[in-house]
Amino acid sequence: MSFEVRLEPAICQKLSADTDISNMVLRRISPVALDQDLGLPAIMYEITGSNPSRNLTSRNNLIQADVDIYCIAETYSDATKLGEYVRREMSASRGDVSVTDDGTPIQVKILGITHTDDRIEYSPPVDGGRTGVYTRRFSFLISFRPED
């Protein structure tokens, strides 16, 4: 199994486990793209790059991945509040996250998460309506080991 397949459910599990986040988004956490029929607020995340580490003889199973997390809401207040919950949950955290692969439990060992950037943007409506969306985007560098 590739590391992306292990890291993506670990990110989703980590975000879903936080009570404040889950109270705001329910189960609206999705990789790469959101279904347009989903209500807001919601979270979208994507792995934008990775760097498997090596030691002198081979790969050492340590991977650093760049991850962007988008907190999307209809109001500035909700985007900001959700963003602060995400920042609190992700920043400087570490530990094991349990995920499954075809029913087999797997541990993803998060060695560290560094918050590298954030910004908030407003996207005007595309359908002529009066309401656009606010997006608070966070970038993180996640160091992890997918345990077999």
Side-chain angles (χ1 to χ4, degrees):
M1 169 187 282
S2 72
F3 80 87
E4 292 95 347
V5 175
R6 293 184 181 178
L7 182 58
E8 284 189 4
I11 293 168
C12 187
Q13 173 64 28
K14 189 157 184 46
L15 293 171
S16 298
D18 182 86
T19 304
D20 292 323
I21 293 172
S22 63
N23 283 343
M24 281 193 78
V25 301
L26 305 173
R27 305 220 38 94
R28 297 183 299 262
I29 301 174
S30 176
V32 185
L34 287 177
D35 182 338
Q36 291 184 2
D37 294 332
L38 284 179
L40 295 177
I43 293 175
M44 183 187 77
Y45 60 91
E46 65 180 325
I47 299 170
T48 59
S50 66
N51 182 18
S53 296
R54 296 185 171 279
N55 57 26
L56 293 175
T57 59
S58 66
R59 289 181 55 201
N60 64 8
N61 208 29
L62 171 65
I63 300 168
Q64 290 188 316
D66 295 308
V67 176
D68 287 343
I69 299 177
Y70 302 84
C71 303
I72 305 166
E74 292 177 343
T75 67
Y76 178 85
S77 175
D78 282 350
T80 300
K81 183 189 306 183
L82 181 57
E84 288 307 311
Y85 294 153
V86 166
R87 182 200 317 256
R88 180 192 65 205
E89 178 61 23
M90 297 296 288
S91 292
S93 89
R94 58 181 51 221
D96 292 345
V97 179
S98 297
V99 299
T100 58
D101 174 29
D102 293 328
T104 304
I106 297 170
Q107 294 294 314
V108 176
K109 184 177 285 298
I110 305 289
L111 302 172
I113 300 177
T114 303
H115 173 227
T116 59
D117 188 32
D118 75 87
R119 69 181 71 174
I120 192 157
E121 301 167 347
Y122 175 74
S123 299
V126 294
D127 61 0
R130 297 185 65 199
T131 305
V133 295
Y134 293 88
T135 303
R136 182 120 185 236
R137 181 186 62 86
F138 291 91
S139 296
F140 296 98
L141 177 64
I142 300 178
S143 299
F144 71 103
R145 266 197 185 94
E147 301 293 327
D148 291 325

